Amino acid sequence: NISFAFHNMNIAIIGYGKMGKSIEMIALERGHNIVAKIDSNDFSTSDLKNADVAIEFSQPDVAVENIMKCFESNIPVVVGTTGWYDQYDKIYKIAKETEQTLFTATNFSIGVNIVFHINKKLAEIMDQFSQYDVHMTETHHLEKKDHPSGTASTLADDITNAVNRKTSYVGRLDEPYNDQSSLALHIECKREKNVPGFHQVTYTSDIDEISIQHNAKNRRGFTMGALIAAEWVHDKKGVFTMKDLLKF
């Protein structure tokens, strides 16, 4: 039950797909106003003029451009799009130098962020036990463009940083895991109808198996987390993540 004082906000939604429409519904439930619904990257900063904050769930190829338009408008932006993080360092630097506000998360679900926290701790422990191999599975809906998912990449980054016997990771669509000798952490990626998001990390030895998983029942957890992030960050300056909001 995360709670803090916030006023009713004017929100611009950038990316009006399933997540955008879900954000609109819950934002209205929470007493906010939707002042812009933008369904492409072909928009101008004038479309953002009445917004207190923007929430961006678009596509990887336009996310950076959308973020920059928010910076140009001096509007805090909460970004849920993944697949653009190869440009994160550049955007981070611009945000800091120009005193803009950026909140990013590969997954806004409170439950997933708890799993992120546990995953790091577990990886630090399992680094000591070389008899265990580790692999991952992630499953999403058919419309998801990138693989592995941003959530899976975050989990994998934390594992490869802590477990010395895994030096990198690779995500492959519908390719079962079978090479325990590989230095690469294998992520089996699946795309199926009507799956909001499933992630599992599994450590396997000859005698037992340890796993942690998160299974989203619907999109509401992602949506609520993004709105909580917007409510928390709208009057701040800087670059933030869910770790800042949740105080992990």
Side-chain angles (χ1 to χ4, degrees), residues 39-69:
D39 199 23
S40 78
N41 67 320
D42 185 22
F43 67 95
S44 69
T45 54
S46 63
D47 294 316
L48 304 172
K49 64 183 179 183
N50 295 318
D52 298 315
V53 63
I55 302 178
E56 203 275 355
F57 277 86
S58 64
Q59 298 294 335
D61 58 336
V62 296
V64 169
E65 187 176 341
N66 292 342
I67 293 166
M68 290 302 298
K69 286 179 181 176

Side-chain angles (χ1 to χ4, degrees), residues 55-111:
I55 302 178
E56 203 275 355
F57 277 86
S58 64
Q59 298 294 335
D61 58 336
V62 296
V64 169
E65 187 176 341
N66 292 342
I67 293 166
M68 290 302 298
K69 286 179 181 176
C70 293
F71 287 177
E72 290 165 23
S73 303
N74 289 309
I75 292 172
V77 57
V78 174
V79 183
T81 306
T82 59
W84 63 273
Y85 278 86
D86 57 329
Q87 299 183 68
Y88 178 83
D89 290 346
K90 179 184 80 173
I91 295 299
Y92 179 96
K93 187 168 182 281
I94 293 170
K96 286 289 192 180
E97 289 176 350
T98 59
E99 297 185 332
Q100 295 300 319
T101 301
L102 174 69
F103 190 114
T104 61
T106 57
N107 194 311
F108 284 94
S109 160
I110 304 301

